[in-house]
Amino acid sequence: MAGLRLDIKRMRWTWLGLFFIALFMMIYLPARHDITAWPEQPTSTSRSIRYYEESLKLPIKSYAKSSVPGMPSEQQTDLRNHYVGVAKALNRKNYRAVNRHVLAILDYGRRDPYQFSLHDSLNFQSGMVTEIPYQYLVHRRINATPLVSVRSDAVNVIAGSLGAYGFGKDFWYDRNTSLALLLCIGGMCVCFGDLFTNDYRRGTYTFVRTLPKSELGYHLKRATVLVIAISLVFLLALVVAVAAIAADPDHALGDLRYPIATVIKGDTVLIPIWQYFARWWLLVTLWAVFIAGLAFVFSHVSRSTVMCVFLLLVIAFSRQLYLLQMIPASLRTFLPVSFNVIPQLFYQAGDFGPMSTLCWAGTLIVWSLFLWGIGGIMIKFRTRATDEQKEH
Amino acid sequence: MGAQYRLTLKRSLHSVTNIVIAAAFFLLLMGTSFSHYGQLDTTQATQYSAYATADEAVAKTINDLKKVKPASASVKAALKQKNQEKYYLDQITLATAGGLSADVNEVNKAVLAHAKYSLRATEKDPQVPLQLIKYQGKPTSHKLIERKKDVAVYRYLYQHHMREIPVAAVKPPAANYVANALLYHVSPLLIIAVFIVWLAEFFTTDQREGNLSVTNTLPMNKTKVLLAKMGVAFTLALPLFGLSALAVYLVVGLGAGWGSFQYPIAYSPDGQQAEIMLLGHFLVLLLSALIAVFSFFVALSALVSLVASDMGTVLVADALVLLTGSAPVLGSKALSGAAKFLPSAYFDYSGLILHTAAWPSLGYGGGIVVLLAGASILVGAAGLIVHRRQLL
């Protein structure tokens, strides 16, 4: 325990604090832009309810007069009742009833020419079957509806800022959704580069080598503490960002079970928000472990912090620097350094066609074990000379 | 001071950071080349197909106009204009019919004739619906100044028998590659950020190696020590950038040819007249602007290192000042009038040289004066601090 307390004391808490602030800004500011930049669009609870009440007036009026040609009048009355039901339930914020009514309306399919007024949520991609998310919502009795929650609830807006809706040609403005992850990785490179070279810089390395425990164990313990700290910083930034959006009175907290719908290989796939956040967290933690391994190996190559951090940055951002283009495409998927574009990674798009979550997690874990193994072998190799001298 | 300068130079020559920033500049400038690695050089084919697309679009418009019956006066006038346009586009198609073996002069003559026609048509009627040729990577604009720039560039190319090298060329010759990389592909802020890393490490070397207290007890003028350090900063960092740029020039040149430094870039000093700037002249101006910005940051780093000798603090302080030169900060309303007197407005030197900056500025000469004035003020402040407390 004393060793653990020492490691915690030795960590650079100011750097972690700055990292937290930068990460929080990176997650919160795009979300805030999303909910404030377009005052005419349904980007808050009250605005969404008003927006849909307005757009539902047309179908309600035309079905009340039974003025749609080619549809029997019982169906038109039924549809009118459902549209009125949607409008009333929105007014009372009874989203479960909204979902039930919308599902009944979607049942009519193309016979109902006014369905477009329900399609305004930003997650509509070509090939998506709109009933599937509604069926999920009704089945689980979730109190959130795409009409309101997608652009106003805190967890949805933060998921959007983390790239949940950032894919597909229908995304309505251009934003680099991977920036938060790139910032994370950059911060990790700096932190780990500093961690493994600070003993050289402070001249305490010879002291470390005289400690009566294995050197590999010493480095492993310090790296684990930093990995856990970074992982917690990410979680904290996420929670504070969600709380910051939810603090606004016109935005509800939302439901973590809400499903993000996306099209993967032609099928409509639902990803609950908690699972999306969990994948993000897993990616960040595994990247931290991977960079720890890389930094450990590089610290044997060069004792200078700047050189270590530079090598880490070059490798971590090799996709952004186009260095990966020089490697044949078939080998590229085996290299974990290309796993820093969101949401293509999560949605199996582009380069990541065949990669499921287990696939990229496994790749990162295997590489990390490999790197730590190499580091251990390098230590063994270096201390072998002194071991041999001890025997004599 | 000479001896102090030589001593500091000798100490810093062996720093690993020199290698790091040279490698960083090389990687940044070569990024575009890496992204095109392994691709065929389809530049000319893409360009000629852009002409062909414009020709086909005009042909289609003519067909559509001919179908309008009865033909009113405005339709007849539009048809006449489109027929004239088609004549010039057909000339271009004829000249480029040879594909890769088309005669440069013939192509330039045809394109120049088309550009002159477009200028005449736009001067007569600014709203004329010209079919603009969509070059890859270049936004199209119907403004009169763009037509003037086109005429200026093509006239120059025709008179000097040079082939046009578009901005999005796959394997441009070395001179064009370096200029395009510095102008369009690598943000000036990124280059300055690399310099900042070097400066932060350089000015805090003494504190890191523990020499600061010894240096403070020596009976020499501390101001001279600081000035010697600033001199060494100029001697080491700028030539490193120059060497990296030269290395990029050599690597690209050996692969794709050297190109000519007399290639024209069109710009408009006042929004009314179009002028030609030669590539060589542009690079000289860019280097001078970079030196001015660098001097400002040398002075800033020297001042901050007197206050806080930790590398991290100097880095963060410099980075924050750099960020004030980014577009969102300069465009904000809080700074509207004063922005052009702040050195921050001139960090983004690429827009400065070609008069395409999005915020009001005092122009190139004014920018250099502001930067050097800012640097002098900071040096004065640093000198004052050292003089008062006689400690580094």
Side-chain angles (χ1 to χ4, degrees), chain A residues 12 15 18 201 302 304 306-308 310 314 321-323 325-327, chain B residues 16-17 19-20 23-24 27-28 31 34-35 37 197 201 208 311 316:
Chain A
R12 288 207 186 231
W15 285 18
L18 282 174
R201 210 175 45 246
S302 158
S304 151
V306 176
M307 178 61 106
C308 237
F310 172 69
V314 166
L321 288 171
Y322 299 111
L323 292 170
Q325 304 273 50
M326 319 234 273
I327 301 175
Chain B
V16 150
T17 322
I19 304 176
V20 166
L27 283 175
L28 281 177
F34 292 148
S35 72
Y37 185 81
V197 171
E201 200 262 353
R208 235 189 355 268
M311 177 175 170
V316 169

Side-chain angles (χ1 to χ4, degrees), chain A residues 1-2 11 22 27 73 168 170 204 219 228 253 265 292 321 350 370:
Chain A
M1 268 319 284
M11 270 200 329
I27 300 179
S73 65
D170 308 311
T204 52
H219 287 298
I228 293 179
L253 182 61
K265 295 197 187 46
L321 288 171
F370 173 66

Side-chain angles (χ1 to χ4, degrees), chain B residues 309-387:
Chain B
S309 333
D310 181 36
M311 177 175 170
T313 322
V314 179
L315 198 60
V316 169
D318 281 354
L320 284 176
V321 172
L322 181 66
L323 280 177
T324 62
S326 65
V329 175
L330 284 174
S332 72
K333 295 203 192 64
L335 284 177
S336 52
K340 55 188 182 190
F341 294 110
L342 291 175
S344 314
Y346 306 104
F347 293 160
D348 197 342
Y349 46 76
S350 61
L352 188 62
I353 300 174
L354 290 181
H355 302 264
T356 51
W359 47 84
S361 77
L362 294 171
Y364 182 76
I368 302 256
V369 166
V370 170
L371 282 167
L372 291 178
S376 327
I377 294 176
L378 291 171
V379 169
L384 204 66
I385 294 180
V386 173
H387 186 72

Side-chain angles (χ1 to χ4, degrees), chain A residues 350-372:
Chain A
D351 294 4
F352 305 113
M355 286 216 146
S356 64
T357 312
L358 211 59
C359 224
W360 53 256
T363 312
L364 277 166
I365 292 176
V366 165
W367 271 92
S368 309
L369 289 172
F370 173 66
L371 286 167
W372 279 97

